[in-house]
Amino acid sequence: MSKKTSINHKTKQTFIGGALILVAAGIINRILGFVPRILLPRIIGAEGVGLYQLGYPFLIVVLTFITGGIPLAVAKLVAEAESEGNENRVRKILKVSLALSLMLGILLTSLCLLAADWITNHLLTDDRVYTTFLMMSPIILLVAVSSVFRGYFQGRQNMIPTAVSQITETVIRIAAVLFFSWLMLPYGIEYAAAGAMLGVLTGELGGMLVMLGMYVWTRKAYHLYGKAKIGKNPHHMGGRSALKHIIRISIPVTASKLVGSASYLFESILTAQSLALAGVATAAATAQYGALQGMIMPVLLLPSALTFSLSVSLVPSLSEAAARGDMRTIHKRLHQSLRLALVTGAPFAVIMFILAEPLCFYLYGQGEIGVMLKMLAPTALFIYFQAPLQAALQALDKPGTALVNTTVGAVVKLGLIYVLASNPKMGILGAVMAICVNTILVTMLHYSSISRLLRFSMKINDFIKTAAAMLLMGAACYYIMDMEWTSFALVRFLASMAAGLAVYLAAIVIFKLVDRHDLKRIPGFRGKP
């Protein structure tokens, strides 16, 4: 291998290796990202968190136009060009995609800034979010740039810049969110929430600068590698041709992702409007929404970092088996991943149900919001099941089926929010119940689609054994927490979790729910499954 060729291989990873880098970064980010979730409510309270969270659904919808399909199109086209050794084409794709993304970023940022007053007064229901919305709008432009470079490096099969950028962004964001929210708190809660959003903006800026730095650092190496191969394929893609390719690939992907982001936006708007119909004051409604989306949901979704890693490893495995027509391997891998999602998610569901109030108290200093976590806890297993099921549908080339299932669930959820949350007797708990129904419905629809497609079914013994292990764990947690064996509630809480987990681990070993083949599916364990 020549020296020039080896330069490129230093930055290139295999598909699985690259996926594991992103999974590791995702898990680190999920854990680090929980730090401000715990500390921010203690600084600005539930109402401040509500103002901070209120604009996010709108931001996600806007960002979908930029991040929905363009990075994927860039990754695909760059990978194709690099496989031909055509560096001229790679540079043209990067140049055109940056121009397109920047144009969209500038346009959408300008529209958000110009329409900020109308949006915050008519769509977001609490005009105090105006300053936070102004701080949030420039994020669109930063993400427009960084998302293109993310797609570029993924096309190069180099996941390290993306991972480093994500971790850098998270670390900066944590420090900046806490610092700016604390700094602005004396000026009022709306300015404290805006300070927190300024921290997010600072983190995005840091992540983008890392991406640009990594590009400058690796550009020479890629240029040398391409120069060594350029004679083999001198074809040069024109700007108009590159633009057509990017648009053709990105539009359908963006359209499908808009369904999910739009559902999230409508959920936030409808929840606030329904609470107003129920007679809940604006400030109280904002606080309740902030508690649900900014405190409860992050706790519920924390264990999904592992099921995400299972999904990442499942997609290439199923795709390869499907290409061979190997139904036996497809069934084996799918059952393995779903069983691990079930077994690893179950103890978290038990803790969130049995110890909901003390968990919320020690995390946020607000034990009263534990009732929402307790309601959502039984649906946690359905959430953890969804990721492998959706990954399976994508791997088997059925993304449209997943989209239809998600859309049906979104329509049902929005309808239930309007009916239940507007009832004065239910209020925010009506929105929680709607989320529970949505989670169960979408998971069951995904499972039904997989069952029909593959004639697949889970072994009933897995559910029975897991349920038995959960009951034993729940009894241990409840008994130790309820007993007055010490006056220190925190000690009882920690002992209850530790004892419960010990009982659960012993139960899954005795019931043989996990074996060495299952462990090998988890990133970090070596061996061939």
Side-chain angles (χ1 to χ4, degrees), residues 34 47 54 89 111 130 183 191 203 213 222 238 240 276-278 306 320 337 354-355 374 391 452 472 476-477 496:
F34 210 71
E47 190 178 346
L54 207 53
R89 187 180 176 191
L111 287 175
Y130 175 76
L183 187 67
Y191 290 100
Y222 287 131
R240 184 174 296 180
L277 289 174
L306 178 57
E320 183 182 350
S337 295
I354 301 294
L355 303 173
K374 187 180 284 287
R452 289 196 308 270
L472 291 172
C477 288
S496 174

Side-chain angles (χ1 to χ4, degrees), residues 18 211-212 228 348:
M211 273 291 190
L212 292 175
F348 294 100

Side-chain angles (χ1 to χ4, degrees), residues 465-501:
K465 291 177 180 178
T466 304
M470 292 173 72
L471 285 172
L472 291 172
M473 177 185 176
C477 288
Y478 181 81
Y479 181 73
I480 293 177
M481 189 67 197
D482 197 54
M483 280 183 61
E484 293 290 341
W485 54 277
T486 175
S487 58
F488 295 101
L490 178 59
V491 174
R492 292 206 311 274
F493 171 68
L494 295 175
S496 174
M497 282 200 299
L501 288 172

Side-chain angles (χ1 to χ4, degrees), residues 408-470:
V408 170
V411 170
V412 171
K413 177 178 68 174
L414 294 174
L416 286 175
I417 286 176
Y418 180 75
V419 172
L420 299 177
S422 60
N423 186 335
K425 294 181 179 178
M426 300 195 71
I428 192 66
L429 298 184
V432 173
M433 191 172 294
I435 293 172
C436 291
V437 172
N438 166 261
T439 301
I440 295 170
L441 177 60
V442 173
T443 304
M444 295 305 294
L445 287 173
H446 282 351
Y447 185 80
S448 176
S449 299
I450 289 290
S451 297
R452 289 196 308 270
L453 184 65
L454 302 175
R455 301 194 180 193
F456 171 84
S457 62
M458 285 284 289
K459 296 176 182 177
I460 192 65
N461 281 346
D462 290 337
F463 291 105
I464 294 173
K465 291 177 180 178
T466 304
M470 292 173 72

